[in-house]
Amino acid sequence: MQIFSSAILIFLLLLMTQIGTAQKIDVKVNSQNCAADAMIFVMEFDGFEFAPVRKQPVAADGTATFTLPETRPRVYYVGTASNNMIPVILGSEKGVELTAPCSKFRSAKVSNSPLNEGYTSLKSQIKTFKNSNRSMQRQLLKADGNKEQEQKAMLGMANIDKQKLELMDSLQRTEPFLGAVAELNTYLSYQLYGEGFPDELNYFVNMYFNYANWEAADYQYNPWVYESVKAYAQTLSGIGIPDEQHALALNTVLAKIPQDSRTYKLAYGGLLAGLEGKKHDNYAVFAQAYIDAWKDKDKKNVAVLENKMKTVSQLMVGGTAPDFTQDTPEGTPLALSDLRGKVVLVDFWASWCGPCRRENPNVVNVYQKYKDRGFEVLSVSLDSNRDKWLAAIAKDNMDWSHVSDLQGWKNAAAQTYGISSIPATLLLDKDGKIIARNLRGPALEARLKKVFD
């Protein structure tokens, strides 16, 4: 019995040694032109922050070697800081190497890794699909009733959709992690698959993640969860649907993801990033919901969100619009607060902005209709050329208040309001509180009718 027990003990020790060896992988980094005290990090991203999981000083020969657990493939980030990293799929391949100058890890070369080569190829193919589909959509619009041209565009979209499905199917069978990336990027054309849906919005909401498997293990450490939900939120936030409908569409996606999973946190981070980027009023709704649900489980990120809420609340509906002062075309300082007592449309635009210029006739129309009833427009130009700014004002008959600091995208007021695209508008009540954001065309006229009639 003693001999048998000793044999079992030796066997278990050998097995544990083998398992221990099998459960580790080495990743070598070759860097150049690093500072003497340079440190290289391996990080993970959870949807809110980058957290270091390993760090190594750069050796005299410019190398650093990391030992990581062998796992299912997952995306790590390797570099010197959160703004100087490259995403790399690690966990299943041994001997992966990265080569990069210390200052340019974003363009690092990854070698000895068929998985990362496949990932690079897949990202390129995803980009090609998107560009090709946009081209077909433009062709369909240009067809304008020409049956032959319409058919040609539809055939093009059908071919793209077919390639998407074939690629996804192939990767699901050969490399599940890349298959997961493909699933999150496979959205088929409404024109070909939208039968049975009342409109394209309904199709988008129900089918954008049609192929996503939210419970899959390969989603847990996959940044495409974050990116795809961010893109979904941004698209929804740019089409002007009511806030209640907008929130329902977002919650429909969240409800499909296990709330106790890392995937859920990645998705939620992407959702908030999409809403914040679009300055959508529902950012405050979803940020507060996260704060309430995670205040005891994710105190660090909850604290960050609480600080953001203090800032963005000023820019949301119901907040008092931050004051600013810039010069008029005549060189006279004009403050937003000078217009208190009137209903004001703050309009961020520029002479070079095509969508802005196309919207200007709509603003002219409502201005003429309501200017004698206490309505004013304050156009803030993101121009840098004074002559072009003034010429556009005259050509578009913009007979209202104008200001600019002629600093282009660095316009101080635009910076205060977090303007990242134009046209962008805020409608303020007589006390300077925000009534609505980004109203255009009929939506602007309808809201002003509600205010004044």
Short mmCIF file of all heavy atoms in Angstrom, two decimals, residues 326-381:
data_model
loop_
_atom_site.label_atom_id
_atom_site.label_comp_id
_atom_site.label_asym_id
_atom_site.label_seq_id
_atom_site.Cartn_x
_atom_site.Cartn_y
_atom_site.Cartn_z
N GLN A 326 -17.60 85.53 -27.42
CA GLN A 326 -16.72 85.63 -28.58
C GLN A 326 -17.11 86.87 -29.38
O GLN A 326 -18.15 87.49 -29.14
CB GLN A 326 -16.79 84.36 -29.44
CG GLN A 326 -16.18 83.15 -28.74
CD GLN A 326 -16.04 81.93 -29.63
OE1 GLN A 326 -16.27 81.98 -30.83
NE2 GLN A 326 -15.64 80.82 -29.03
N ASP A 327 -16.27 87.20 -30.35
CA ASP A 327 -16.50 88.43 -31.11
C ASP A 327 -17.48 88.21 -32.26
O ASP A 327 -17.46 87.16 -32.92
CB ASP A 327 -15.19 88.96 -31.69
CG ASP A 327 -14.32 89.62 -30.63
OD1 ASP A 327 -14.82 89.85 -29.51
OD2 ASP A 327 -13.13 89.87 -30.92
N THR A 328 -18.28 89.22 -32.52
CA THR A 328 -19.16 89.24 -33.68
C THR A 328 -18.33 89.60 -34.92
O THR A 328 -17.15 89.99 -34.79
CB THR A 328 -20.26 90.29 -33.49
OG1 THR A 328 -19.66 91.60 -33.48
CG2 THR A 328 -21.01 90.07 -32.19
N PRO A 329 -18.91 89.53 -36.12
CA PRO A 329 -18.16 89.97 -37.32
C PRO A 329 -17.70 91.42 -37.24
O PRO A 329 -16.71 91.79 -37.88
CB PRO A 329 -19.19 89.78 -38.44
CG PRO A 329 -20.06 88.67 -37.96
CD PRO A 329 -20.19 88.89 -36.48
N GLU A 330 -18.38 92.22 -36.45
CA GLU A 330 -17.99 93.63 -36.30
C GLU A 330 -16.89 93.82 -35.26
O GLU A 330 -16.43 94.95 -35.03
CB GLU A 330 -19.20 94.47 -35.91
CG GLU A 330 -20.30 94.54 -36.96
CD GLU A 330 -21.11 93.25 -37.07
OE1 GLU A 330 -21.25 92.55 -36.03
OE2 GLU A 330 -21.58 92.94 -38.19
N GLY A 331 -16.50 92.72 -34.58
CA GLY A 331 -15.45 92.81 -33.58
C GLY A 331 -15.95 93.14 -32.19
O GLY A 331 -15.15 93.43 -31.28
N THR A 332 -17.26 93.07 -31.97
CA THR A 332 -17.85 93.37 -30.67
C THR A 332 -18.06 92.09 -29.88
O THR A 332 -18.66 91.13 -30.40
CB THR A 332 -19.21 94.07 -30.84
OG1 THR A 332 -19.03 95.23 -31.65
CG2 THR A 332 -19.79 94.47 -29.49
N PRO A 333 -17.60 92.03 -28.63
CA PRO A 333 -17.82 90.82 -27.83
C PRO A 333 -19.31 90.60 -27.57
O PRO A 333 -20.05 91.54 -27.26
CB PRO A 333 -17.08 91.12 -26.52
CG PRO A 333 -16.10 92.19 -26.86
CD PRO A 333 -16.77 93.02 -27.92
N LEU A 334 -19.74 89.36 -27.74
CA LEU A 334 -21.13 89.00 -27.47
C LEU A 334 -21.13 87.73 -26.63
O LEU A 334 -20.51 86.72 -27.01
CB LEU A 334 -21.90 88.77 -28.77
CG LEU A 334 -23.34 88.28 -28.63
CD1 LEU A 334 -24.21 89.34 -27.95
CD2 LEU A 334 -23.93 87.92 -30.00
N ALA A 335 -21.81 87.77 -25.50
CA ALA A 335 -21.90 86.61 -24.61
C ALA A 335 -23.23 85.89 -24.83
O ALA A 335 -24.24 86.52 -25.15
CB ALA A 335 -21.78 87.03 -23.15
N LEU A 336 -23.22 84.60 -24.65
CA LEU A 336 -24.47 83.84 -24.73
C LEU A 336 -25.48 84.37 -23.72
O LEU A 336 -26.67 84.51 -24.01
CB LEU A 336 -24.20 82.35 -24.47
CG LEU A 336 -25.41 81.43 -24.39
CD1 LEU A 336 -26.19 81.44 -25.70
CD2 LEU A 336 -24.97 80.00 -24.05
N SER A 337 -24.99 84.73 -22.53
CA SER A 337 -25.89 85.23 -21.48
C SER A 337 -26.53 86.57 -21.85
O SER A 337 -27.54 86.96 -21.26
CB SER A 337 -25.12 85.37 -20.16
OG SER A 337 -23.99 86.19 -20.32
N ASP A 338 -25.95 87.28 -22.84
CA ASP A 338 -26.56 88.54 -23.28
C ASP A 338 -27.92 88.30 -23.92
O ASP A 338 -28.72 89.25 -24.07
CB ASP A 338 -25.65 89.24 -24.30
CG ASP A 338 -24.36 89.76 -23.68
OD1 ASP A 338 -24.32 89.94 -22.45
OD2 ASP A 338 -23.39 89.97 -24.44
N LEU A 339 -28.18 87.06 -24.33
CA LEU A 339 -29.43 86.75 -25.02
C LEU A 339 -30.49 86.17 -24.07
O LEU A 339 -31.54 85.71 -24.55
CB LEU A 339 -29.16 85.76 -26.16
CG LEU A 339 -28.14 86.23 -27.20
CD1 LEU A 339 -27.89 85.15 -28.24
CD2 LEU A 339 -28.58 87.53 -27.87
N ARG A 340 -30.21 86.17 -22.77
CA ARG A 340 -31.22 85.68 -21.82
C ARG A 340 -32.52 86.45 -21.97
O ARG A 340 -32.51 87.65 -22.23
CB ARG A 340 -30.70 85.83 -20.38
CG ARG A 340 -29.59 84.87 -20.01
CD ARG A 340 -30.12 83.47 -19.74
NE ARG A 340 -29.03 82.52 -19.60
CZ ARG A 340 -28.37 82.29 -18.47
NH1 ARG A 340 -28.69 82.95 -17.38
NH2 ARG A 340 -27.41 81.39 -18.44
N GLY A 341 -33.61 85.74 -21.80
CA GLY A 341 -34.93 86.33 -22.01
C GLY A 341 -35.50 85.94 -23.36
O GLY A 341 -36.69 86.18 -23.62
N LYS A 342 -34.66 85.34 -24.21
CA LYS A 342 -35.12 84.84 -25.50
C LYS A 342 -34.91 83.34 -25.58
O LYS A 342 -34.05 82.78 -24.90
CB LYS A 342 -34.36 85.52 -26.65
CG LYS A 342 -34.63 87.01 -26.78
CD LYS A 342 -33.96 87.56 -28.04
CE LYS A 342 -34.32 89.03 -28.25
NZ LYS A 342 -33.74 89.55 -29.52
N VAL A 343 -35.69 82.71 -26.44
CA VAL A 343 -35.44 81.31 -26.78
C VAL A 343 -34.32 81.33 -27.82
O VAL A 343 -34.44 82.00 -28.85
CB VAL A 343 -36.71 80.63 -27.35
CG1 VAL A 343 -36.38 79.23 -27.84
CG2 VAL A 343 -37.79 80.60 -26.29
N VAL A 344 -33.23 80.61 -27.54
CA VAL A 344 -32.02 80.73 -28.37
C VAL A 344 -31.64 79.37 -28.97
O VAL A 344 -31.57 78.37 -28.25
CB VAL A 344 -30.83 81.29 -27.56
CG1 VAL A 344 -29.58 81.39 -28.44
CG2 VAL A 344 -31.18 82.65 -26.98
N LEU A 345 -31.36 79.39 -30.27
CA LEU A 345 -30.75 78.23 -30.91
C LEU A 345 -29.26 78.51 -31.05
O LEU A 345 -28.86 79.40 -31.80
CB LEU A 345 -31.36 77.99 -32.30
CG LEU A 345 -30.79 76.78 -33.05
CD1 LEU A 345 -31.30 75.48 -32.42
CD2 LEU A 345 -31.15 76.84 -34.53
N VAL A 346 -28.44 77.77 -30.30
CA VAL A 346 -26.99 77.88 -30.44
C VAL A 346 -26.58 76.91 -31.54
O VAL A 346 -26.78 75.70 -31.43
CB VAL A 346 -26.26 77.55 -29.13
CG1 VAL A 346 -24.76 77.74 -29.30
CG2 VAL A 346 -26.79 78.42 -27.99
N ASP A 347 -26.02 77.45 -32.61
CA ASP A 347 -25.77 76.68 -33.83
C ASP A 347 -24.28 76.67 -34.14
O ASP A 347 -23.70 77.69 -34.53
CB ASP A 347 -26.56 77.31 -34.98
CG ASP A 347 -26.28 76.64 -36.31
OD1 ASP A 347 -25.92 75.46 -36.32
OD2 ASP A 347 -26.43 77.32 -37.35
N PHE A 348 -23.62 75.52 -33.95
CA PHE A 348 -22.21 75.36 -34.31
C PHE A 348 -22.13 74.93 -35.77
O PHE A 348 -22.71 73.92 -36.16
CB PHE A 348 -21.54 74.33 -33.40
CG PHE A 348 -21.41 74.77 -31.98
CD1 PHE A 348 -22.40 74.48 -31.05
CD2 PHE A 348 -20.30 75.49 -31.55
CE1 PHE A 348 -22.28 74.89 -29.72
CE2 PHE A 348 -20.18 75.92 -30.23
CZ PHE A 348 -21.18 75.60 -29.31
N TRP A 349 -21.40 75.70 -36.57
CA TRP A 349 -21.36 75.47 -38.01
C TRP A 349 -20.04 75.97 -38.57
O TRP A 349 -19.16 76.43 -37.82
CB TRP A 349 -22.53 76.21 -38.69
CG TRP A 349 -22.29 77.70 -38.80
CD1 TRP A 349 -22.16 78.59 -37.77
CD2 TRP A 349 -22.08 78.44 -40.01
NE1 TRP A 349 -21.92 79.85 -38.25
CE2 TRP A 349 -21.86 79.79 -39.62
CE3 TRP A 349 -22.09 78.12 -41.36
CZ2 TRP A 349 -21.64 80.80 -40.55
CZ3 TRP A 349 -21.87 79.13 -42.29
CH2 TRP A 349 -21.65 80.45 -41.89
N ALA A 350 -19.87 75.94 -39.90
CA ALA A 350 -18.71 76.52 -40.56
C ALA A 350 -19.04 76.70 -42.04
O ALA A 350 -19.87 75.97 -42.60
CB ALA A 350 -17.48 75.64 -40.40
N SER A 351 -18.38 77.64 -42.67
CA SER A 351 -18.65 77.91 -44.08
C SER A 351 -18.30 76.72 -44.96
O SER A 351 -18.88 76.52 -46.02
CB SER A 351 -17.85 79.13 -44.54
OG SER A 351 -16.45 78.87 -44.49
N TRP A 352 -17.31 75.91 -44.53
CA TRP A 352 -16.84 74.77 -45.32
C TRP A 352 -17.64 73.49 -45.06
O TRP A 352 -17.37 72.45 -45.66
CB TRP A 352 -15.36 74.50 -45.02
CG TRP A 352 -15.01 74.56 -43.56
CD1 TRP A 352 -14.42 75.60 -42.91
CD2 TRP A 352 -15.23 73.55 -42.57
NE1 TRP A 352 -14.25 75.30 -41.56
CE2 TRP A 352 -14.75 74.05 -41.34
CE3 TRP A 352 -15.79 72.27 -42.60
CZ2 TRP A 352 -14.81 73.32 -40.15
CZ3 TRP A 352 -15.85 71.55 -41.41
CH2 TRP A 352 -15.36 72.07 -40.21
N CYS A 353 -18.62 73.55 -44.18
CA CYS A 353 -19.40 72.36 -43.78
C CYS A 353 -20.63 72.22 -44.67
O CYS A 353 -21.60 72.98 -44.53
CB CYS A 353 -19.80 72.48 -42.31
SG CYS A 353 -21.03 71.27 -41.77
N GLY A 354 -20.60 71.24 -45.59
CA GLY A 354 -21.72 71.04 -46.51
C GLY A 354 -23.05 70.80 -45.82
O GLY A 354 -24.05 71.46 -46.15
N PRO A 355 -23.13 69.85 -44.85
CA PRO A 355 -24.41 69.62 -44.16
C PRO A 355 -24.92 70.87 -43.44
O PRO A 355 -26.13 71.10 -43.36
CB PRO A 355 -24.08 68.50 -43.18
CG PRO A 355 -22.92 67.78 -43.81
CD PRO A 355 -22.12 68.85 -44.48
N CYS A 356 -23.98 71.69 -42.93
CA CYS A 356 -24.39 72.93 -42.25
C CYS A 356 -25.05 73.88 -43.25
O CYS A 356 -26.12 74.46 -42.97
CB CYS A 356 -23.18 73.62 -41.63
SG CYS A 356 -22.21 72.64 -40.48
N ARG A 357 -24.42 74.03 -44.40
CA ARG A 357 -24.95 74.95 -45.40
C ARG A 357 -26.30 74.48 -45.92
O ARG A 357 -27.19 75.30 -46.22
CB ARG A 357 -23.95 75.11 -46.55
CG ARG A 357 -22.55 75.60 -46.12
CD ARG A 357 -22.56 77.03 -45.62
NE ARG A 357 -22.92 77.99 -46.64
CZ ARG A 357 -22.05 78.55 -47.49
NH1 ARG A 357 -20.77 78.25 -47.40
NH2 ARG A 357 -22.46 79.43 -48.38
N ARG A 358 -26.46 73.16 -46.03
CA ARG A 358 -27.75 72.63 -46.50
C ARG A 358 -28.85 72.82 -45.45
O ARG A 358 -30.03 72.90 -45.79
CB ARG A 358 -27.60 71.15 -46.86
CG ARG A 358 -26.79 70.92 -48.12
CD ARG A 358 -26.89 69.49 -48.60
NE ARG A 358 -26.21 68.54 -47.72
CZ ARG A 358 -24.93 68.23 -47.81
NH1 ARG A 358 -24.15 68.81 -48.73
NH2 ARG A 358 -24.39 67.34 -46.99
N GLU A 359 -28.47 72.88 -44.18
CA GLU A 359 -29.45 73.09 -43.12
C GLU A 359 -29.81 74.56 -42.95
O GLU A 359 -30.90 74.89 -42.44
CB GLU A 359 -28.91 72.52 -41.79
CG GLU A 359 -29.77 72.76 -40.56
CD GLU A 359 -31.13 72.09 -40.64
OE1 GLU A 359 -31.33 71.19 -41.49
OE2 GLU A 359 -32.02 72.46 -39.83
N ASN A 360 -28.94 75.45 -43.38
CA ASN A 360 -29.17 76.89 -43.15
C ASN A 360 -30.52 77.39 -43.66
O ASN A 360 -31.16 78.19 -42.98
CB ASN A 360 -28.03 77.71 -43.76
CG ASN A 360 -26.79 77.68 -42.89
OD1 ASN A 360 -26.86 77.36 -41.70
ND2 ASN A 360 -25.64 78.02 -43.47
N PRO A 361 -31.01 76.98 -44.84
CA PRO A 361 -32.34 77.45 -45.26
C PRO A 361 -33.45 77.09 -44.27
O PRO A 361 -34.41 77.87 -44.11
CB PRO A 361 -32.54 76.75 -46.61
CG PRO A 361 -31.16 76.51 -47.12
CD PRO A 361 -30.34 76.19 -45.89
N ASN A 362 -33.34 75.95 -43.63
CA ASN A 362 -34.34 75.57 -42.63
C ASN A 362 -34.30 76.51 -41.43
O ASN A 362 -35.34 76.90 -40.88
CB ASN A 362 -34.10 74.13 -42.16
CG ASN A 362 -34.27 73.12 -43.27
OD1 ASN A 362 -35.15 73.25 -44.11
ND2 ASN A 362 -33.42 72.10 -43.28
N VAL A 363 -33.06 76.88 -41.02
CA VAL A 363 -32.93 77.80 -39.89
C VAL A 363 -33.44 79.19 -40.28
O VAL A 363 -34.11 79.86 -39.49
CB VAL A 363 -31.45 77.86 -39.42
CG1 VAL A 363 -31.32 78.79 -38.20
CG2 VAL A 363 -30.93 76.47 -39.07
N VAL A 364 -33.15 79.61 -41.50
CA VAL A 364 -33.67 80.90 -41.99
C VAL A 364 -35.19 80.90 -41.92
O VAL A 364 -35.81 81.88 -41.48
CB VAL A 364 -33.20 81.16 -43.44
CG1 VAL A 364 -33.94 82.36 -44.03
CG2 VAL A 364 -31.69 81.40 -43.48
N ASN A 365 -35.80 79.81 -42.32
CA ASN A 365 -37.26 79.71 -42.34
C ASN A 365 -37.86 79.88 -40.93
O ASN A 365 -38.78 80.68 -40.74
CB ASN A 365 -37.66 78.36 -42.92
CG ASN A 365 -39.17 78.16 -42.92
OD1 ASN A 365 -39.91 78.97 -43.44
ND2 ASN A 365 -39.61 77.06 -42.31
N VAL A 366 -37.31 79.14 -39.95
CA VAL A 366 -37.89 79.23 -38.60
C VAL A 366 -37.53 80.55 -37.93
O VAL A 366 -38.31 81.09 -37.12
CB VAL A 366 -37.46 78.04 -37.72
CG1 VAL A 366 -38.03 76.73 -38.26
CG2 VAL A 366 -35.94 77.95 -37.59
N TYR A 367 -36.38 81.10 -38.29
CA TYR A 367 -36.01 82.40 -37.72
C TYR A 367 -36.98 83.49 -38.17
O TYR A 367 -37.46 84.29 -37.35
CB TYR A 367 -34.58 82.77 -38.11
CG TYR A 367 -34.13 84.11 -37.56
CD1 TYR A 367 -33.93 84.28 -36.19
CD2 TYR A 367 -33.93 85.20 -38.41
CE1 TYR A 367 -33.53 85.51 -35.68
CE2 TYR A 367 -33.54 86.44 -37.91
CZ TYR A 367 -33.34 86.58 -36.55
OH TYR A 367 -32.95 87.80 -36.04
N GLN A 368 -37.26 83.49 -39.44
CA GLN A 368 -38.21 84.48 -39.96
C GLN A 368 -39.60 84.30 -39.34
O GLN A 368 -40.33 85.26 -39.11
CB GLN A 368 -38.30 84.38 -41.49
CG GLN A 368 -37.03 84.77 -42.22
CD GLN A 368 -36.63 86.21 -41.97
OE1 GLN A 368 -37.49 87.09 -41.79
NE2 GLN A 368 -35.33 86.46 -41.95
N LYS A 369 -39.94 83.07 -39.04
CA LYS A 369 -41.27 82.76 -38.51
C LYS A 369 -41.42 83.16 -37.05
O LYS A 369 -42.50 83.61 -36.62
CB LYS A 369 -41.54 81.27 -38.67
CG LYS A 369 -42.96 80.85 -38.40
CD LYS A 369 -43.18 79.40 -38.80
CE LYS A 369 -44.63 78.99 -38.62
NZ LYS A 369 -44.86 77.58 -39.08
N TYR A 370 -40.32 83.04 -36.26
CA TYR A 370 -40.46 83.22 -34.81
C TYR A 370 -39.61 84.35 -34.22
O TYR A 370 -39.66 84.59 -33.01
CB TYR A 370 -40.10 81.91 -34.09
CG TYR A 370 -41.09 80.80 -34.34
CD1 TYR A 370 -40.76 79.74 -35.18
CD2 TYR A 370 -42.35 80.82 -33.75
CE1 TYR A 370 -41.67 78.71 -35.42
CE2 TYR A 370 -43.26 79.80 -33.98
CZ TYR A 370 -42.92 78.74 -34.81
OH TYR A 370 -43.82 77.74 -35.05
N LYS A 371 -38.85 85.07 -35.04
CA LYS A 371 -37.95 86.09 -34.49
C LYS A 371 -38.70 87.21 -33.76
O LYS A 371 -38.17 87.79 -32.80
CB LYS A 371 -37.06 86.68 -35.58
CG LYS A 371 -37.80 87.49 -36.64
CD LYS A 371 -36.82 88.08 -37.65
CE LYS A 371 -37.56 88.95 -38.68
NZ LYS A 371 -36.61 89.58 -39.64
N ASP A 372 -39.92 87.51 -34.19
CA ASP A 372 -40.68 88.57 -33.54
C ASP A 372 -41.41 88.07 -32.29
O ASP A 372 -42.10 88.85 -31.63
CB ASP A 372 -41.69 89.17 -34.52
CG ASP A 372 -41.02 89.90 -35.68
OD1 ASP A 372 -39.90 90.39 -35.48
OD2 ASP A 372 -41.60 89.93 -36.78
N ARG A 373 -41.24 86.79 -31.98
CA ARG A 373 -41.90 86.23 -30.79
C ARG A 373 -40.90 85.82 -29.72
O ARG A 373 -41.22 85.06 -28.81
CB ARG A 373 -42.76 85.03 -31.22
CG ARG A 373 -43.83 85.42 -32.26
CD ARG A 373 -44.64 84.25 -32.71
NE ARG A 373 -45.43 83.68 -31.63
CZ ARG A 373 -46.22 82.61 -31.75
NH1 ARG A 373 -46.33 82.02 -32.95
NH2 ARG A 373 -46.90 82.15 -30.73
N GLY A 374 -39.67 86.32 -29.87
CA GLY A 374 -38.67 86.06 -28.83
C GLY A 374 -37.70 84.95 -29.17
O GLY A 374 -37.07 84.38 -28.27
N PHE A 375 -37.52 84.66 -30.46
CA PHE A 375 -36.59 83.61 -30.88
C PHE A 375 -35.33 84.25 -31.46
O PHE A 375 -35.40 85.19 -32.24
CB PHE A 375 -37.25 82.72 -31.93
CG PHE A 375 -36.34 81.64 -32.48
CD1 PHE A 375 -35.72 80.73 -31.65
CD2 PHE A 375 -36.12 81.55 -33.86
CE1 PHE A 375 -34.89 79.74 -32.17
CE2 PHE A 375 -35.31 80.56 -34.39
CZ PHE A 375 -34.68 79.65 -33.53
N GLU A 376 -34.17 83.73 -31.06
CA GLU A 376 -32.90 84.23 -31.58
C GLU A 376 -32.00 83.05 -31.92
O GLU A 376 -32.12 81.96 -31.34
CB GLU A 376 -32.20 85.12 -30.54
CG GLU A 376 -30.90 85.74 -31.01
CD GLU A 376 -31.06 86.58 -32.25
OE1 GLU A 376 -31.57 87.72 -32.16
OE2 GLU A 376 -30.69 86.07 -33.33
N VAL A 377 -31.15 83.26 -32.90
CA VAL A 377 -30.15 82.26 -33.27
C VAL A 377 -28.77 82.84 -32.99
O VAL A 377 -28.51 84.01 -33.33
CB VAL A 377 -30.23 81.87 -34.77
CG1 VAL A 377 -29.15 80.85 -35.12
CG2 VAL A 377 -31.61 81.32 -35.09
N LEU A 378 -27.91 82.07 -32.35
CA LEU A 378 -26.52 82.45 -32.16
C LEU A 378 -25.66 81.41 -32.86
O LEU A 378 -25.48 80.30 -32.38
CB LEU A 378 -26.16 82.52 -30.67
CG LEU A 378 -24.69 82.85 -30.38
CD1 LEU A 378 -24.32 84.23 -30.95
CD2 LEU A 378 -24.41 82.80 -28.88
N SER A 379 -25.15 81.78 -34.02
CA SER A 379 -24.32 80.87 -34.80
C SER A 379 -22.87 81.04 -34.39
O SER A 379 -22.33 82.15 -34.42
CB SER A 379 -24.48 81.13 -36.29
OG SER A 379 -25.71 80.61 -36.76
N VAL A 380 -22.24 79.93 -34.02
CA VAL A 380 -20.83 79.91 -33.61
C VAL A 380 -20.04 79.23 -34.72
O VAL A 380 -20.20 78.02 -34.96
CB VAL A 380 -20.63 79.16 -32.28
CG1 VAL A 380 -19.18 79.25 -31.84
CG2 VAL A 380 -21.57 79.72 -31.21
N SER A 381 -19.21 80.00 -35.40
CA SER A 381 -18.51 79.45 -36.56
C SER A 381 -17.18 78.80 -36.17
O SER A 381 -16.40 79.35 -35.39
CB SER A 381 -18.24 80.56 -37.59
OG SER A 381 -17.41 80.07 -38.62
#
